[in-house]
Amino acid sequence: MHKEAAIREPLILGDKTYHDITADVVGPIENKAPRAWYILITIAGLISLWGLGCIVYLIATGIGVWGLNKTVGWAWDITNFVWWVGIGHAGTLISAVLLLFRQKWRMAINRSAEAMTIFAVMMAALFPGIHMGRIWLAYFVFPLPNTFGSLWVNFNSPLLWDVFAISTYFSVSLVFWYIGLIPDFATIRDRMTKPLAKKIYGLLSFGWSGKAKNWTRFEEVSLVLAGLATPLVFSVHSIVSMDFATSVIPGWHTTIFPPYFVSGAVFSGFAMVLTLLLIMRKVMKLENYITIKHVEYMNIVIIVTGSIVGVAYITELFISWYSGVEYESYAFINRFSGPYFWAYWAMMTCNVVSPQLFWFKKIRTNLTATFILSIVVNIGMWFERFVIIVTSLHRDYVPSSWSMFYPTWVDIGIFIGTIGIFFTLFLLFARFFPVLALNELKSILRVSGEKYKKEDH
Amino acid sequence: MNFVFSNRAKLFSIILMVIGAIAIVAGFFADGSEHHGRWWSNLLINGFYFLGISLGALFFYALHFATETAWAVMLRRVMEGVFSFIPYAAVVLVIVFIGASFHWNHIYHWMDQSVLSEFVSEATVDSDHPEYYDSMAEAEEAGVTALKNEDYDEIIANKSAYLNIPFFWVRSILYLGVFILFARWFRRRSLKEDEEGGTRLHTLGYKRGALYLVLFAVFSSTLAWDWLMSIDTHWFSTLFGWYVFSGMWVSAMNVIIILTLYLVSKGYLKDINSSHVHDMGKWVFALSFLWSYLWFSQFLLIWYSNIPEEVTYFITRIEEYKVPFFGMFIINFALPMLILMSRDAKRNPGFLITIGTIIFIGHYLDTYMLVVPGVLFESWEFGWMEIGFFLGFTGLFINRVLSALTKASLVPKQSPYLEESLHHSI
C-alpha cells in the first residue's frame, strides 16, 4: 500500500473529481478556441511564413547570404542548432528521468514538455540541413553504400554521430510522447459528439479500450522507453558537445563539455517549459494542476542546473590558466575582455547570476518573476552557444585572419522564423491535443489531491 | 533496536587491521622506491578511497534531504555510520600532506623547490639540498655565484600561484573542516529529531542539506584537482573533478548497500523490504553508468584530439599499466551493466553483495590508477603491500563504522517521512 507523508504538498488543488479532470483538459478541445488563440496563431503563423521565405531565399541564393566569413565559418546557424537541441532536452528528462525518480509532479507538465521537445528538435534539425547549401543532397548524411555513387560518410566525425544521436532521440521522444497520448485520445474519442472529430480521435487512439491488459502493457512500455530514453538524454547533448570538443581549437577542446552541455541543455529546456507553461496555465485555466508548487520544483531544477553550468564555466576559466597553454588562456581572456566581452558577460549574468535569485522562496514562487527569469535564461543560453562558437573562432592562430562576425538579415530572419514555427506548432498542439496527461493525473488524485489529502489526515 | 557489534565482526575487523599494520610497518622497510614513493602512495590511495566513500555517503545524505526523498529515510542511520569515518580518513590524508610538505615523500612534484626556481648556487648544486634563487639579482645580493637550474620547470612554476604549500594547506583544511562540521551537524540533528519529533528539525535538515550541496559542488572538484590531479602536475582536464566525484558517489552507494544487507541478514532493520533493496541496486547500476560515461568522455576527447600535453596521461597508463587500467574499467562498467540490468538481480542480496564486493575492489583500483602512475611512473609493482594496506584500511573502516552504528537506534523514529519509507513499494 502506498502512503504519502502528510508534509508533502498536494499536487492537484481544489475539490477535483475524476470527471473534473477530464472536463478541464478536454473542455478546451471541444469548445471554440478563445480569441487570444486566433490572435497568437496568426502572429506566429506570419513569423513562420517570414522564416520560410528567408529559408527559400537562402537555399535559392546560397549560404553566402549569411554573415559567415573565412575565419568564422560557423556562427548563428550552429548556435541556433545547439540552442534548439538544448531546449529539446527537458521533455525527455521530465518524462523519462523524472519517471524513474518517481516524481509525481511531472504528470502535470510532461505532456507539453514532450511536445515542446519534439518541436524544438525539429527546429534544431533544420539548421544543419539548410547549412548544407544543397539541401536536396541532404540524404548523404546517412551512411549510403559506395554503389550509391559516392563515398561512405566519415564515421570518425562527431557530425555523423550527431545524425544518429539526434534521429534516435527524436524517434524515441516521439514514440514516448505518442504512447502517452493514446489513452487520452481515447478519452476524447469517447466524449466527442461530432462524427468527424470522433473518427479522427478514434484513429489516433489506436482502438484503445481501457482494459486492464491495455493498461499493464502501457505501463510496461512506458518504463522500457524511460529506460531507453534516459541514456539518450545524456548521449544527445554529449555528442553535440563533441562537435566542438573533439577538435583542437582552444575554447572548444575541453573534457568537461559533454556533462556540462547536458546540464546546460536541461537548464535551457526547463526555462522554455516554464515560459510556455506559465502562459498556458493562465490561458487554459490550469492553475489547479500546474500549481505554484510545480513552478517551484521547476525553479529548483533551474537553480541546480544553472549552478552546475556555472561551476563548469569557472572550471574552464580556471583550467585555461592552470594548463599553462597560452592559446587556451588567450581564448578565455579574449572571451571575457575581447571584442565579444558583452556576449560573455551577458551569458554569465543570465545563466549563473540570475538563477541564484531562486534561492529566495519569495522569488521562486512568484509567477511574474519566474516568467521574466525564464526568458532571461533562454537568452543567456543562446549567448552561451554564441560565445563558445564565435569567440573561439574569430581570432585564430594567424592574426592577419582575425575577423568579426556580423549577422545579416537572413541570419536573423531564419532564427526568428524558427521561433515562429515552433510557436505555431505548439499552439496547434495546445488546441487539439490533451495538454495534460489526464489519465496519469487521475492516478495520483487520491494520494496527492488536496481534498483527499485533507480527508486522510 | 540498537545494533550490537558482535564479537565475531569485531575479531574480523581486528584481524584485517593487524594485517594492515604489519603491511604498513613491513612495507616501509621493504619499499625500495625513491623516497618510499610506493608506501606513501598506498597511504594516499587508501586515505582518499575511504574518504571518498564517506563523502559520497554525506553527499547522498544531503541530497535525500534536499530532494525530500522518503524511501531513503530507512537508510539514514546507515549513511550516518558511513560518513562517521570522515575524520579518520582525514587524519590519513593529513599525514600524507605533512609528509609531502616536509619532502618526506615526493608525491606532489610541485612542492619541490628545485622545479620552481630558475637559478641554483654553484657551490651547492651537487649537494643534497641545493640553494635556489628566483633571479640572478637575488643570488648576487646573497653574494653567491648562480647557475641556471637544470631542473627548473616553467610550466609548474607558472602554476605556483595556485599550487603552493601554504595555499594547498588552507584549501585542504577548509575542505576537511567543512566536511567534518557538516557530518557532525547532520548527525546531531538526526539524534535530536529522535527525541523532539515535529517538522522544525526536518526543515532545518532540508536547508542545511541544500547548503552542503552547494559547498560540495565546488569542493568536490577542487579537492580532486588539489589532491589527485596535481600529482600529474603538467596535466590538466576540466572533467577530472566530476569524474572523481562520480567514483566517490558510486562507491558510497555500493558500501551502503553491502552494509544495509549485512544488517538485515543479522536481523536488524526489519522494515527494509525488497523495494528498498531494489532502489539501492538501481543507484549502483545508474551511477556505474554515470561513472563510465564520465571516464569515457574524458578518455575519448583526449585520445581523439591527441594533443601532446594532454595525451601523455593516457599514454603512460596504457603503455605501463594496461591490465589495471583497462581491467578496472571493465569491472566498474561492464559488470554492473550486465549483471544489475535485470530487476531480479537488483532485488537479490546475494547478487548485490557479490557484485558490490567486486566493484568495491574495482573502485579501489580506479583510485590506484589516479595516484600511482604519476608517482612511480613505469617502476610500479602490485603485491602484498597494496593488498595489506587495502585490507587494513577496510578493517579500520568496518570497525569504526560498525561501532558508530551501535550508538543510536537504526531507525530514525521521528522523521516525518518515516511512515512513507516504511510503506515503500514499487
Side-chain angles (χ1 to χ4, degrees):
Chain A
M1 182 202 77
H2 185 75
K3 174 108 189 145
E4 188 175 279
I7 59 166
R8 287 202 195 278
E9 286 182 40
L11 295 172
I12 298 174
L13 299 180
D15 180 17
K16 295 284 177 195
T17 61
Y18 290 121
H19 178 71
D20 291 338
I21 296 181
T22 312
D24 288 343
V25 178
V26 184
I29 302 173
E30 294 169 330
N31 304 330
K32 245 176 94 71
R35 182 202 292 262
W37 186 84
Y38 284 104
I39 297 173
L40 285 173
I41 198 153
T42 311
I43 299 171
L46 289 173
I47 298 174
S48 315
L49 286 176
W50 158 257
L52 290 174
C54 289
I55 292 171
V56 170
Y57 174 72
L58 172 91
I59 291 169
T61 324
I63 53 170
V65 297
W66 275 342
L68 303 176
N69 55 49
K70 67 183 187 313
T71 312
V72 186
W74 264 10
W76 275 42
D77 41 22
I78 300 301
T79 303
N80 298 339
F81 161 73
V82 182
W83 188 68
W84 278 119
V85 182
I87 288 171
H89 247 69
T92 311
L93 182 99
I94 291 168
S95 44
V97 179
L98 297 188
L99 174 73
L100 296 181
F101 281 120
R102 298 189 293 265
Q103 297 296 304
K104 283 184 271 176
W105 58 276
R106 68 176 259 287
M107 290 175 188
I109 56 171
N110 65 343
R111 178 64 45 75
S112 27
E114 287 167 33
M116 178 202 80
T117 288
I118 288 159
F119 305 145
V121 174
M122 284 159 68
M123 293 306 101
L126 181 73
F127 283 96
I130 58 177
H131 195 176
M132 289 173 200
R134 291 179 291 169
I135 196 169
W136 50 93
L137 294 179
Y139 56 84
F140 273 113
V141 300
F142 296 106
L144 301 166
N146 280 349
T147 48
F148 203 83
S150 179
L151 295 171
W152 276 106
V153 284
N154 181 3
F155 285 100
N156 290 335
S157 165
L159 298 177
L160 176 72
W161 309 343
D162 248 350
V163 173
F164 298 134
I166 290 177
S167 51
T168 314
Y169 181 71
F170 183 75
S171 323
V172 172
S173 302
L174 189 67
V175 172
F176 208 157
W177 180 61
Y178 197 82
I179 288 188
L181 276 165
I182 290 175
D184 296 355
F185 278 145
T187 308
I188 304 176
R189 171 199 65 197
D190 296 346
R191 282 173 54 105
M192 271 294 164
T193 46
K194 287 176 255 172
L196 180 65
K198 200 178 180 73
K199 190 94 195 148
I200 292 171
Y201 284 108
L203 280 174
L204 289 174
S205 65
F206 287 173
W208 174 273
S209 65
K211 285 187 289 194
K213 199 186 211 168
N214 285 176
W215 279 112
T216 34
R217 288 187 177 158
F218 174 83
E219 281 172 15
E220 273 171 30
V221 89
S222 302
L223 212 56
V224 170
L225 282 173
L228 284 175
T230 303
L232 288 175
V233 172
F234 283 85
S235 73
V236 175
H237 233 67
S238 298
I239 288 174
V240 168
S241 81
M242 286 174 191
D243 291 345
F244 308 101
T246 50
S247 71
V248 288
I249 293 178
W252 282 10
H253 174 72
T254 174
T255 50
I256 207 169
F257 257 30
Y260 140 57
F261 264 51
V262 171
S263 175
V266 174
F267 179 55
S268 67
F270 263 84
M272 189 57 103
V273 172
L274 275 169
T275 312
L276 294 174
L277 287 188
L278 286 176
I279 302 174
M280 202 172 82
R281 77 190 278 277
K282 187 95 188 155
V283 175
M284 302 184 78
K285 300 191 180 54
L286 298 171
E287 287 94 339
N288 284 325
Y289 304 100
I290 303 170
T291 67
I292 301 286
K293 192 71 197 165
H294 287 82
V295 174
E296 193 181 348
Y297 282 137
M298 287 192 266
N299 284 336
I300 291 173
V301 175
I302 298 255
I303 305 178
V304 172
T305 47
S307 305
I308 294 176
V309 166
V311 169
Y313 291 162
I314 295 177
T315 301
E316 278 191 302
L317 195 62
F318 172 76
I319 299 284
S320 75
W321 167 80
Y322 176 91
S323 72
V325 180
E326 56 185 314
Y327 301 110
E328 195 67 34
S329 321
Y330 179 73
F332 280 86
I333 293 170
N334 183 43
R335 266 185 200 177
F336 65 74
S337 64
Y340 284 111
F341 78 97
W342 49 272
Y344 183 83
W345 292 109
M347 156 190 118
M348 276 290 186
T349 319
C350 296
N351 294 346
V352 184
V353 181
S354 77
Q356 305 306 328
L357 291 172
F358 285 141
W359 283 103
F360 302 101
K361 197 175 171 91
K362 266 225 168 72
I363 298 180
R364 68 170 183 262
T365 52
N366 179 313
L367 298 176
T368 321
T370 304
F371 186 72
I372 294 168
L373 280 172
S374 75
I375 290 174
V376 167
V377 171
N378 280 317
I379 296 171
M381 284 309 288
W382 190 87
F383 271 111
E384 179 199 291
R385 280 64 177 253
F386 179 79
V387 165
I388 292 172
I389 293 160
V390 174
T391 67
S392 304
L393 288 177
H394 85 116
R395 287 187 165 173
D396 71 1
Y397 294 102
V398 189
S400 61
S401 49
W402 285 9
S403 79
M404 296 288 287
F405 173 80
Y406 300 102
T408 63
W409 64 272
V410 189
D411 278 299
I412 301 167
I414 294 179
F415 177 52
I416 293 176
T418 54
I419 296 177
I421 302 172
F422 175 78
F423 274 93
T424 309
L425 292 170
F426 196 82
L427 284 164
L428 288 172
F429 157 78
R431 175 77 188 98
F432 298 109
F433 282 44
V435 291
L436 300 183
L438 61 99
N439 281 300
E440 280 192 83
L441 271 176
K442 286 177 183 172
S443 73
I444 60 163
L445 181 63
R446 270 181 187 278
V447 262
S448 299
E450 190 181 19
K451 190 182 87 171
Y452 291 95
K453 271 193 91 95
K454 271 201 198 118
E455 280 168 6
D456 270 4
H457 302 285
Chain B
M1 181 167 61
N2 273 34
F3 170 67
V4 181
F5 192 176
S6 69
N7 284 334
R8 256 185 75 184
K10 243 180 221 163
L11 184 67
F12 176 69
S13 71
I14 289 171
I15 291 174
L16 289 180
M17 280 154 74
V18 170
I19 295 173
I22 295 171
I24 289 173
V25 175
F28 189 79
F29 295 104
D31 180 10
S33 62
E34 215 178 319
H35 296 288
H36 295 89
R38 185 174 168 199
W39 189 85
W40 283 103
S41 302
N42 271 312
L43 215 52
L44 176 60
I45 294 163
N46 287 289
F48 186 81
Y49 183 50
F50 287 98
L51 180 73
I53 291 173
S54 328
L55 288 181
L58 185 59
F59 167 75
F60 190 71
Y61 192 87
L63 187 70
H64 100 289
F65 265 112
T67 54
E68 298 176 80
T69 306
W71 69 272
V73 167
M74 282 300 291
L75 307 175
R76 211 175 255 179
R77 289 287 142 85
V78 180
M79 293 189 255
E80 286 168 17
V82 174
F83 69 62
S84 74
F85 195 72
I86 293 177
Y88 300 96
V91 168
V92 179
L93 287 184
V94 165
I95 293 172
V96 176
F97 302 153
I98 291 175
S101 304
F102 285 104
H103 310 297
W104 302 333
N105 66 58
H106 285 236
I107 289 180
Y108 301 108
H109 193 43
W110 52 268
M111 286 187 179
D112 294 353
Q113 196 55 43
S114 63
V115 297
L116 298 175
S117 305
E118 251 182 286
F119 299 97
V120 62
S121 87
E122 192 178 11
T124 61
V125 70
D126 290 325
S127 70
D128 277 349
H129 297 281
E131 283 167 24
Y132 294 105
Y133 299 94
D134 287 332
S135 64
M136 266 312 196
E138 198 187 312
E140 272 166 26
E141 219 168 272
V144 177
T145 340
L147 297 171
K148 256 209 157 338
N149 176 14
E150 300 277 314
D151 295 330
Y152 174 66
D153 188 323
E154 197 189 341
I155 295 174
I156 296 180
N158 284 342
K159 296 183 193 208
S160 61
Y162 184 77
L163 292 182
N164 60 65
I165 297 175
F167 192 26
F168 176 84
W169 275 100
V170 169
R171 292 194 304 269
S172 300
I173 289 171
L174 177 70
Y175 309 147
L176 294 172
V178 165
F179 299 151
I180 291 170
L181 208 74
F182 269 87
R184 285 176 58 123
W185 185 85
F186 277 127
R187 172 71 170 179
R188 270 218 313 278
R189 190 217 63 87
S190 184
L191 297 180
K192 213 155 123 199
E193 193 180 57
D194 274 4
E195 291 158 17
E196 192 181 303
T199 56
R200 185 187 72 87
L201 282 171
H202 176 80
T203 318
L204 210 59
Y206 171 79
K207 288 183 178 159
R208 295 274 172 103
L211 178 64
Y212 180 74
L213 291 180
V214 173
L215 293 171
F216 192 63
V218 178
F219 290 173
S220 58
S221 276
T222 51
L223 71 83
W225 303 338
D226 293 346
W227 297 343
L228 298 173
M229 195 166 86
S230 80
I231 296 174
D232 297 86
T233 315
H234 282 210
W235 184 76
F236 54 90
S237 165
T238 41
L239 186 53
F240 192 80
W242 292 1
Y243 161 65
V244 170
F245 156 72
S246 69
M248 291 180 184
W249 191 7
V250 64
S251 311
M253 297 313 285
N254 184 33
V255 166
I256 292 168
I257 291 196
I258 298 177
L259 200 56
T260 308
L261 292 174
Y262 168 76
L263 293 171
V264 171
S265 77
K266 295 288 166 210
Y268 301 99
L269 285 174
K270 288 203 178 61
D271 292 309
I272 292 276
N273 59 38
S274 53
S275 294
H276 291 101
V277 177
H278 188 179
D279 270 350
M280 289 187 282
K282 281 183 200 168
W283 271 111
V284 171
F285 178 70
L287 291 175
S288 295
F289 269 93
L290 179 73
W291 176 88
S292 314
Y293 161 68
L294 295 175
W295 182 91
F296 184 71
S297 297
Q298 178 169 281
F299 176 74
L300 176 85
L301 291 176
I302 289 177
W303 169 81
Y304 193 109
S305 302
N306 204 17
I307 300 174
E309 50 265 55
E310 286 182 357
V311 82
T312 49
Y313 185 83
F314 287 114
I315 288 179
T316 318
R317 278 158 179 78
I318 290 171
E319 286 182 353
E320 309 293 342
Y321 294 81
K322 202 165 258 128
V323 175
F325 181 66
F326 288 112
M328 71 93 190
F329 183 69
I330 292 169
I331 293 174
N332 294 335
F333 170 59
L335 212 65
M337 182 188 73
L338 293 174
I339 295 178
L340 291 182
M341 180 85 81
S342 94
R343 178 178 182 275
D344 291 346
K346 289 194 281 270
R347 287 170 171 253
N348 182 327
F351 264 111
L352 288 171
I353 290 179
T354 316
I355 295 296
T357 312
I358 298 173
I359 58 179
F360 176 67
I361 298 168
H363 280 281
Y364 161 80
L365 284 176
D366 178 31
T367 317
Y368 182 88
M369 289 310 302
L370 292 171
V371 174
V372 173
V375 182
L376 298 175
F377 311 103
E378 68 292 332
S379 58
W380 62 285
E381 274 175 90
F382 194 94
W384 60 268
M385 204 197 297
E386 281 69 26
I387 296 169
F389 264 75
F390 184 45
L391 291 179
F393 275 94
T394 308
L396 180 70
F397 181 77
I398 294 174
N399 187 290
R400 292 294 80 213
V401 170
L402 290 187
S403 112
L405 284 177
T406 61
K407 303 216 169 83
S409 150
L410 284 176
V411 179
K413 289 171 274 196
Q414 302 266 25
S415 165
Y417 282 125
L418 182 65
E419 197 67 5
E420 195 177 321
S421 188
L422 290 174
H423 289 86
H424 183 46
S425 161
I426 47 173

